[in-house]
Amino acid sequence: AYNLSWQYQIYRSDTVQLSLGHSPQYSFENKNWNQQIQLYYDNFSNDKTIDHISLHLNLKEGEKITEQNDPDKISSATKIQSSTEYIRSNWDRIIYGPSYNFEIKSVGGHLGYIWSWKNFHIALTLVSNDFTNFKFDSQKGYFISPYFYLRY
């Protein structure tokens, strides 16, 4: 599946940021759209780490997401995720944290590296929808997720 996401900052202080995001996602295989709204809470606790909590709400109605569904539906499922970004001296980042997928009732998470430039970031992340399933499988196991981020 392919998606395009954007985020709008709704509140910011010296230590906290709240943002609202939207991600339309299109599956060429299934020829359908899915919509997701995200709420982000970011905490800037010190100059080396940023802590994130995000809630991803699936807006597609009428389909129950199960373990047998395709990866497009699993990746756009309703979930809550916590992340910590460790900021290196060159502004690149290491990101990691757990997640809980409400549809398939599983605990997963992510571990990744973010290359940072002034207005552009590239990330490569190992993601899991279910930590207990030790295989490379985007539905129920581990998979690699590339990420490109433009800031302006």
Side-chain angles (χ1 to χ4, degrees), residues 1-8 19-26 33-40 54-61 65 71-81 99-103 129 147:
Y2 298 92
N3 69 13
L4 179 65
S5 299
W6 52 90
Q7 242 176 283
Y8 178 73
S19 301
L20 189 62
H22 178 243
S23 294
Q25 183 181 61
Y26 183 74
W33 283 93
N34 197 3
Q35 304 289 324
Q36 195 177 74
I37 297 289
Q38 300 97 12
L39 180 61
Y40 298 97
S54 58
L55 179 62
H56 304 256
L57 301 171
N58 184 13
L59 299 180
K60 186 170 183 178
E61 296 183 21
I65 297 173
D72 300 337
K73 294 178 189 155
I74 299 296
S75 69
S76 61
T78 297
K79 67 179 178 178
I80 189 166
Q81 179 172 293
S99 65
Y100 180 77
N101 185 311
F102 290 98
E103 270 86 358
N129 287 317
Y147 179 82

Side-chain angles (χ1 to χ4, degrees), residues 100-112:
Y100 180 77
N101 185 311
F102 290 98
E103 270 86 358
I104 61 173
K105 296 175 180 49
S106 67
V107 175
H110 59 283
L111 172 63

